[in-house]
Amino acid sequence: MIEIQHFFDKATFTLTYVVWDPNTLDAVIFDPVLDYDPASSSLTLESFKKLDEFLKSKPFKVHYILETHAHADHISSSQVIKKFYPKSTLAINERIREVQATFSTLFDLHDFSTDGKQFDLLLKDGDVIQAGSLKLKVVFTPGHTPACTSFIVEDAVFTGDTLFMPDYGVGRCDFPQGSADELYTSVMNRLYTLPEKTRVFTGHDYQPNGRVMKFQSTIEEQKASNIHINSQTNREEFVKFRTERDKTLNAPKLLLPSIQLNINAGHLPKAHSNGKSYLAIPISFKEAF
Ligand SMILES: [Fe+2]
């Protein structure tokens, strides 16, 4: 039976998980966070240090760093982890190439390759990842982004931003190539068809109405009470609701830095001749005058 340790980043409401086999200590990491202060544009290692401290508490064998998608709200610490755990493989959905193509154009990134080669491994739908004695099944769940993946390990599924806790619903679908219709299919046909007792581990918890942080539910609970998509939800109604709701949402605070680094597998942009890396920040008026 697998064991799971969560880490919660209060600044971005992100959940990182370490999953391991207690018999062999074969382990994988989901969605690790690198702390970023936008005012000073500086990266710090608080979240990495917490993870690292835990990973040093036992002789874990870290096989994979798995990204559920290219996050738009926090920066991945995957390259920092790879420095200290060089045997780990960084993997993401092969459709990351579509996300790279979209955003490299938007940010006007020159010489940015959009073939996904920045990552160690591009995953295909239905792939089985063997991480020592751990076996993970790759299930594409597009909708929040085109490159969203859920991972099934034994009786647990890691859903990233496809499913949140039942009282918070599902991820927004207004990022480029996001699709409420696709998200509905992913949830209904790919997640809600899993055994009812499957444990669901979400990628964020926004603590609605000030409740305590929660990150674990079951497929049965989601089908019964997810406020956006439960087993009774009609596709057209959901798509209408999601599309209208998304129009009212602000861009995530760390959208611009997060996306630029995360489509580059967590690498900083190539340094300029002065040795410093820079982010591109597009600017435009929202209204004509
Ligand atoms: Fe996300």
Side-chain angles (χ1 to χ4, degrees):
M1 182 84 173
I2 52 166
E3 292 189 18
I4 298 166
Q5 177 64 52
H6 72 277
F7 300 84
F8 184 58
D9 174 38
K10 286 195 185 113
T12 62
F13 305 96
T14 302
L15 282 142
T16 296
Y17 299 98
V18 175
V19 179
W20 71 97
D21 177 338
N23 296 317
T24 61
L25 297 180
D26 289 314
V28 299
I29 302 166
F30 288 103
D31 293 335
V33 172
L34 187 59
D35 309 289
Y36 177 71
D37 172 38
S40 60
S41 195
S42 54
L43 299 160
T44 50
L45 298 176
E46 291 94 337
S47 294
F48 167 75
K49 283 176 182 164
K50 282 183 205 153
L51 182 70
D52 186 46
E53 195 180 330
F54 177 77
L55 291 172
K56 287 203 170 96
S57 67
K58 292 188 170 91
F60 287 115
K61 287 163 248 168
V62 180
H63 293 273
Y64 285 92
I65 304 160
L66 300 166
E67 299 284 4
T68 55
H69 61 296
H71 308 279
D73 53 14
H74 70 270
I75 295 166
S76 168
S77 63
S78 51
Q79 295 306 326
V80 179
I81 296 173
K82 278 177 63 70
K83 187 166 178 212
F84 292 93
Y85 299 86
K87 287 184 183 156
S88 57
T89 297
L90 172 61
I92 199 163
N93 186 315
E94 63 177 350
R95 292 185 66 188
I96 189 66
R97 292 183 285 226
E98 296 167 41
V99 181
Q100 289 178 324
T102 303
F103 282 103
S104 59
T105 304
L106 198 106
F107 289 115
D108 197 25
L109 304 176
H110 298 285
D111 304 325
F112 186 89
S113 118
T114 58
D115 57 7
K117 290 271 168 60
Q118 299 89 339
F119 295 84
D120 303 323
L121 176 66
L122 295 181
L123 301 167
K124 290 184 168 39
D125 188 35
D127 276 355
V128 173
I129 299 170
Q130 197 71 49
S133 59
L134 283 180
K135 196 178 187 182
L136 299 96
K137 191 169 172 213
V138 172
V139 181
F140 280 10
T141 46
H144 170 60
T145 77
C148 285
T149 306
S150 296
F151 295 87
I152 301 170
V153 202
E154 292 186 0
D155 71 330
V157 61
F158 295 82
T159 58
D161 296 3
T162 302
L163 271 184
F164 296 128
M165 289 300 290
D167 61 357
Y168 201 79
V170 301
R172 64 195 294 177
C173 297
D174 57 338
F175 296 135
Q177 298 149 298
S179 160
D181 190 64
E182 269 195 298
L183 185 85
Y184 182 91
T185 304
S186 293
V187 171
M188 279 294 193
N189 298 359
R190 314 219 78 187
L191 296 176
Y192 286 180
T193 50
L194 295 172
E196 301 247 299
K197 299 295 174 207
T198 304
R199 296 180 289 165
V200 177
F201 292 85
T202 186
H204 289 286
D205 185 56
Y206 296 99
Q207 302 179 268
N209 305 314
R211 72 147 163 70
V212 293
M213 196 277 288
K214 291 183 184 171
F215 55 86
Q216 184 182 339
S217 58
T218 63
I219 290 293
E220 187 175 23
E221 288 162 2
Q222 294 281 0
K223 282 162 81 170
S225 63
N226 186 293
I227 58 165
H228 294 162
I229 305 180
N230 54 62
S231 57
Q232 303 305 311
T233 308
N234 162 285
R235 178 184 296 270
E236 285 69 35
E237 276 168 26
F238 168 72
V239 170
K240 187 167 179 289
F241 157 79
R242 187 74 263 175
T243 309
E244 281 169 13
R245 166 66 68 88
D246 288 347
K247 283 183 193 147
T248 70
L249 301 177
N250 292 324
K253 274 192 234 133
L254 300 183
L255 171 74
L256 300 175
S258 300
I259 282 288
Q260 279 176 77
L261 268 63
N262 292 340
I263 61 170
N264 199 22
H267 292 286
L268 296 188
K270 207 166 124 199
H272 288 205
S273 54
N274 64 1
K276 288 187 186 301
S277 291
Y278 293 84
L279 293 166
I281 309 290
I283 184 167
S284 60
F285 283 100
K286 263 184 122 173
E287 54 190 311
F289 65 96

